[in-house]
Amino acid sequence: MTAVQTPPSPPADLERLGLRPGAAPAPGVDPDAPGSVRSWLGRRAASFALLAPVLALIGVVQVWGIGQFPARFDDEGTYVAQAWAVQHLGQLAHYTYWYDHPPLGWIVLALLGWPMHAFDGPGTAIAAGRALLVPITLLTAALLYAFARRLGMRKGFAALAVLAFGLSPLALNYHRMVWLDNLAMPWLIGAFVLALTPGRRLWAYAGAGACFAGAVLTKETVLLMLPALALAVWQSSERSTRRFCFAVFGATFLLLASIYPLYALIKGELLPGPGHVSLLQGVEFQLNGRAPSGSIFKAGTLSNYYVDGWLTLDKLLLGAGLASSVPGLLSRRLRVPAVAFLIQVLMMLRPGYLPAPYVIAMLPFAALLAAGAFDAIARWRPTWPSPRLSLAGPVIAAVAVATTVVVAAPRWAREDRRQMTTNADQPMQTAAHWLVRHAPRSSTLIIDDTLWVDLVRQGFPRRNVVWYYKLGTDGTVDAKYPRGWREFDYVVSSQMMRTDRTANVRAALRNSRLVAGFGRGTSRVEIRRIRG
């Protein structure tokens, strides 16, 4: 009697799929396929148990003192005011929307704050916007854990990446601020998670394209990550279906990203013309209209100032990411985050414009590379010249992790505590209170945009409270105030305004007298009465 032989199961390339030995899917079973909720939760119970306290710790650290540190930045006020305009005016901006950035970021911010009327509460509007970023950061951190697991990292090292991403003083400082880059990160990391699908399902590649479109429609500079994301699709897809996977990914991305130019086309604002803004003018400004920031290596340049500030907050995370990036290129497991990180490093070296929040997109990949390097060391199992050396990798990794924790923990704890307990925003808060108490509601004011929502909801007519940047650049504002600065009663002078070189702002400051001042140095805020 001939025994019936069962055909062998197809081999599973665990390294490529990012799965642990012993966790390979059964033949014909798609690990990405939807199943029962109980089964899905059961398979991930250990990850949830590990990740939950990590996310809770990150959330507490980010929330504590979030409205007081760091001092508010002008762009934060712009995005919060635009989210307020979506909620209260049904418009994309509180002034003429001129396509400076795609609007998805502040639309999401408005939707998050809508149920709880976040921008109408007792605190500052900036603090409300920052509070809405906390779930965004936690979602990004959870997706980063999934990204690390898709890269094949073991749970402990994936959690280590999340801890570095959430607790680094550099990350804490920038994650708290209402930057479009923070709003783009869940979309971007989600795109990488889907692109590295172990099951190689077409819906996952379509989802990656959709998420990447969401990231680009939030912050256009995310397009820099396209080569790294394409590499992720290449590595995870089968050779026989790779072209089809790329087609699905690309078509989904282009279809959704085209909504932005289509919107401009429908409004008649795609191409430049008299009497209206245009999308192409906005793109031209972003590419060529900004003054170069100079070399990061030359003292006194804006680029050098930003990079020096990043390294002052935390050298360890960026340094570990940079040190691990080149070896990461040689590892299939870490090649995707290494490419993503090095693209951004190379772009910093060009003599162009470097924005202040540029580092935000570097942080998740630096954390992945650092944790991935430790994971790679722990996997090293030399068997020559003696089998006893088989434990060398885990021992070296344990010593390296312990040393890093001993070096980093005191510094990070000290700096995080400073950020959690310092009120760097006090001068601006006091200035707003002074205006509410002493300035008539009919006053016309030139302000930093960080005060706009706070003053409008305190009863100042929104047409009378003018963001200094719009004087001479917005036709609606110029039509209402044809004599420029001469038609205003007060100018609220912040550091951002004092460094502005436009004629209206400089003339307003020059032809005004101090009536109240708060703070010192670069944080000083002055309320000045305009003469004439």
Side-chain angles (χ1 to χ4, degrees):
M1 184 174 181
T2 305
V4 178
Q5 294 185 351
T6 302
S9 299
D13 186 349
L14 303 185
E15 184 75 15
R16 175 169 45 76
L17 297 182
L19 298 173
R20 294 179 293 106
V29 175
D30 176 12
D32 283 342
S36 69
V37 174
R38 180 178 299 178
S39 174
W40 187 86
L41 292 174
R43 293 195 303 270
R44 292 162 177 81
S47 289
F48 288 141
L50 178 62
L51 191 58
V54 171
L55 295 181
L57 176 61
I58 292 173
V60 169
V61 170
Q62 185 167 349
V63 167
W64 200 299
I66 195 171
Q68 300 179 348
F69 193 96
R72 65 184 80 182
F73 195 81
D74 191 47
D75 283 2
E76 289 189 278
T78 301
Y79 304 141
V80 166
Q82 288 169 326
W84 181 93
V86 171
Q87 284 188 356
H88 293 78
L89 307 177
Q91 301 174 359
L92 290 181
H94 53 312
Y95 291 106
T96 302
Y97 174 58
W98 61 283
Y99 299 94
D100 53 335
H101 294 294
L104 182 59
W106 60 85
I107 291 175
V108 170
L109 199 66
L111 293 175
L112 286 174
W114 209 317
M116 60 197 77
H117 306 284
F119 301 124
D120 300 319
T124 69
I126 297 290
R130 289 181 176 183
L132 294 175
L133 281 184
V134 175
I136 297 292
T137 301
L138 296 181
L139 175 58
T140 305
L143 289 170
L144 189 67
Y145 180 87
F147 191 178
R149 296 288 288 149
R150 288 283 168 96
L151 293 173
M153 292 188 206
R154 286 171 288 186
K155 295 183 181 70
F157 293 100
L160 184 64
V162 175
L163 280 170
F165 171 76
L167 298 183
S168 162
L170 175 61
L172 177 61
N173 183 88
Y174 279 89
H175 287 165
R176 286 181 162 191
M177 302 179 76
V178 188
W179 298 109
L180 295 180
D181 309 68
N182 283 321
L183 290 159
M185 283 304 103
W187 295 107
L188 179 63
I189 304 302
F192 278 101
V193 171
L194 290 170
L196 291 169
T197 164
R200 304 167 188 157
R201 303 294 291 181
L202 288 179
W203 68 262
Y205 296 113
C211 284
F212 192 56
V216 172
L217 292 176
T218 301
K219 187 63 181 288
E220 66 281 1
T221 54
V222 172
L223 271 171
L224 290 173
M225 297 293 100
L226 182 57
L229 189 57
L231 176 62
V233 175
W234 177 278
Q235 285 191 349
S236 68
S237 58
E238 285 280 9
R239 177 177 298 181
S240 58
T241 59
R242 185 168 289 152
R243 295 172 66 179
F244 197 46
C245 294
F246 269 104
V248 170
F249 166 78
T252 307
F253 167 70
L254 292 174
L255 179 65
L256 295 177
S258 65
I259 293 174
Y260 189 43
L262 181 61
Y263 168 81
L265 179 64
I266 292 174
K267 291 198 66 179
E269 295 174 345
L270 178 63
L271 303 175
H276 68 80
V277 296
S278 76
L279 173 58
L280 289 187
Q281 283 179 328
V283 172
E284 171 65 21
F285 171 78
Q286 294 291 350
L287 294 177
N288 300 314
R290 295 178 180 269
S293 303
S295 170
I296 63 174
F297 302 109
K298 185 177 180 181
T301 64
L302 193 59
S303 294
N304 179 268
Y305 173 79
Y306 286 149
V307 174
D308 184 64
W310 301 341
L311 297 178
T312 299
L313 285 170
D314 183 23
K315 298 180 177 69
L316 185 61
L317 181 57
L318 291 181
L322 184 61
S324 305
S325 58
V326 175
L329 290 175
L330 305 178
S331 166
R332 182 183 178 87
R333 185 193 301 272
L334 297 178
R335 192 168 297 147
V336 168
V339 169
F341 186 81
L342 287 174
I343 286 174
Q344 297 178 87
V345 172
L346 292 175
M347 290 300 295
M348 286 172 54
L349 301 179
R350 82 195 197 290
Y353 175 72
L354 182 69
Y358 183 86
V359 72
I360 290 173
M362 302 178 70
L363 295 174
F365 301 103
L368 284 173
L369 287 168
F374 288 134
D375 184 51
I377 294 172
R379 292 173 184 270
W380 182 49
R381 295 291 194 276
T383 58
W384 187 90
S386 170
R388 295 181 180 179
L389 293 177
S390 60
L391 295 179
V395 171
I396 294 174
V399 172
V401 171
T403 303
T404 303
V405 170
V406 168
V407 172
R411 298 179 182 179
W412 286 15
R414 184 168 55 251
E415 178 58 28
D416 285 354
R417 182 178 182 277
R418 183 182 73 87
Q419 295 187 32
M420 295 165 66
T421 57
T422 302
N423 190 354
D425 197 50
Q426 186 65 48
M428 193 65 77
Q429 295 173 10
T430 310
H433 293 157
W434 190 98
L435 288 168
V436 171
R437 290 194 304 267
H438 297 94
R441 293 301 186 269
S442 59
S443 302
T444 50
L445 304 97
I446 303 173
I447 62 164
D448 187 312
D449 212 24
T450 57
L451 289 172
W452 194 89
V453 175
D454 293 338
L455 295 179
V456 168
R457 68 184 187 182
Q458 288 293 335
F460 289 89
R462 63 186 181 90
R463 300 294 184 187
N464 290 3
V465 184
V466 176
W467 179 22
Y468 72 90
Y469 181 78
K470 292 297 179 177
L471 283 175
T473 63
D474 190 296
T476 304
V477 174
D478 293 341
K480 182 173 176 59
Y481 300 105
R483 296 173 60 240
W485 64 270
R486 294 176 179 85
E487 303 201 42
F488 289 85
D489 299 315
Y490 294 95
V491 55
V492 182
S493 170
S494 63
Q495 177 66 12
M496 185 69 68
M497 193 182 298
R498 290 191 289 271
T499 58
D500 190 270
R501 297 183 179 275
T502 56
N504 267 300
V505 173
R506 300 186 73 175
L509 293 175
R510 188 169 58 249
N511 293 278
S512 62
R513 63 179 177 85
L514 178 68
V515 294
F518 313 98
R520 294 178 296 177
T522 58
S523 64
R524 181 168 175 79
V525 179
E526 296 180 347
I527 300 175
R528 306 182 68 89
R529 179 80 182 188
I530 297 177
R531 297 191 294 264

